[in-house]
Amino acid sequence: MSGLDIRELECFLVLAEELHFGRTGERLYLTQGRVSQLVRSLEQRVGARLVERTSRRVRLTPLGEQFLAGLRPAYDGLRAVLDTTRAAARGVEGSLRLGFQCTANDHLMNAVALFQERYPRCAVEMTEVPLSDPFGPLRRGEVDLAAVLMPIAEEDLVVGAVFSRGQQTLAVSSRHPFARRSSVSAEELGDCVLIGVRSAAPRYWRATLAPTTTPAGRPIPAGPTMDTLQEGLTLAAANRGALLLCQPTAEYHRRHALTFVPVTGLPDSELGLTWCRDHETARVRAFAQVLSEVAEPTADALSA
């Protein structure tokens, strides 16, 4: 590959089509002498004749035919890569698959609307990411990026904007003893059963939704587990346990059979936009930039 000249290869490919030095020069905007020079230079690099030229005709040698058969697909592949890269450089096009957990409210949708306005040739497809598998859809290529509950401590994932910070809230059945309370403390979680997340999610991440101990170290009884928010809300409504949620999600999912009680003494919940480090594209970077512009740390963009 040392000293490879793409002009020599292009000249050979055109000459193989035209089999005429004059017409080859016209197509490449070169003189006939320059075409001959490029072909001779390529033959010297190869170490053998690739083209036979007589006063009557031009044709490829058997080695030239073999060289053409290998060069054409390789050159076409190189051009395809170049064309794709140029398209990406000109703008963000195609489709972007955005994963979200549980609820996408107006703030996140405003980010999507701004992205669509800024990049009208890129369509955003939104897909709910299950609580039980927050990072799996990213790794399987089902979504390009996702807004999920923090913390995110995965080496293969990049964390962009962190947003939608809010107080944690306990969803309980209207029959639960806490349903009559104006608030409960983090220590009082030791007196109730918490609904957890199934084991596909990392342990540290599951502990955000269902801690096993209070801040002082009291054990918190483990209850049934869920895959999705709706499953968790149904379990809570049936008085099978209590479910920790951030405040925006609690407000969005208010219903007659559930009561939402603020919890004091726990860190605020927050969301992070994340994507696979090895799958970063111009579309991903563009959306991350838009979200960072519109998502303030305390904004209600999306809840889990």
Side-chain angles (χ1 to χ4, degrees), residues 144-203:
D144 299 307
L145 69 175
V148 300
L149 186 69
M150 295 289 285
I152 302 170
E154 307 297 300
E155 293 185 357
D156 60 326
L157 301 183
V158 177
V159 180
V162 176
F163 60 102
S164 193
R165 183 172 296 130
Q167 184 179 23
Q168 299 210 49
T169 303
L170 199 64
V172 296
S173 165
S174 56
R175 295 170 285 161
H176 195 281
F178 287 170
R180 295 180 292 275
R181 300 279 298 275
S182 59
S183 66
V184 297
S185 69
E187 289 304 315
E188 290 178 292
L189 294 179
D191 299 325
C192 73
V193 172
L194 279 186
I195 298 168
V197 180
R198 297 209 169 100
S199 59
R203 183 184 299 274

Side-chain angles (χ1 to χ4, degrees), residues 36-170:
S36 298
Q37 183 182 23
L38 288 171
V39 172
R40 284 197 302 270
S41 178
L42 178 61
E43 290 176 331
Q44 290 172 3
R45 203 181 302 279
V46 170
R49 294 288 298 276
L50 299 174
V51 178
E52 289 183 353
R53 179 183 183 182
T54 68
S55 59
R56 294 186 176 183
R57 64 177 181 176
V58 175
R59 66 180 181 183
L60 300 184
T61 66
L63 185 62
E65 295 284 0
Q66 181 180 339
F67 183 65
L68 175 64
L71 176 62
R72 173 56 70 185
Y75 181 81
D76 290 345
L78 180 63
R79 287 295 301 270
V81 171
L82 182 60
D83 291 344
T84 300
T85 305
R86 282 175 174 167
R90 285 196 301 268
V92 177
E93 302 176 353
S95 63
L96 179 76
R97 298 164 300 171
L98 172 63
F100 66 93
Q101 287 188 311
C102 306
T103 303
N105 74 3
D106 290 344
H107 200 82
L108 184 62
M109 296 310 298
N110 286 342
V112 172
L114 178 58
F115 179 84
Q116 298 276 218
E117 179 182 340
R118 191 172 292 179
Y119 304 105
R121 299 179 66 178
C122 184
V124 178
E125 302 171 3
M126 301 189 69
T127 303
E128 185 173 355
V129 173
L131 289 172
S132 60
D133 193 16
F135 310 125
L138 284 169
R139 289 171 172 146
R140 292 190 296 270
E142 297 167 4
V143 297
D144 299 307
L145 69 175
V148 300
L149 186 69
M150 295 289 285
I152 302 170
E154 307 297 300
E155 293 185 357
D156 60 326
L157 301 183
V158 177
V159 180
V162 176
F163 60 102
S164 193
R165 183 172 296 130
Q167 184 179 23
Q168 299 210 49
T169 303
L170 199 64

Side-chain angles (χ1 to χ4, degrees), residues 203-227:
R203 183 184 299 274
Y204 77 86
W205 194 88
R206 299 199 312 269
T208 303
L209 283 175
T212 56
T213 62
T214 68
R218 288 184 61 198
I220 300 176
T225 56
M226 61 180 172
D227 281 320

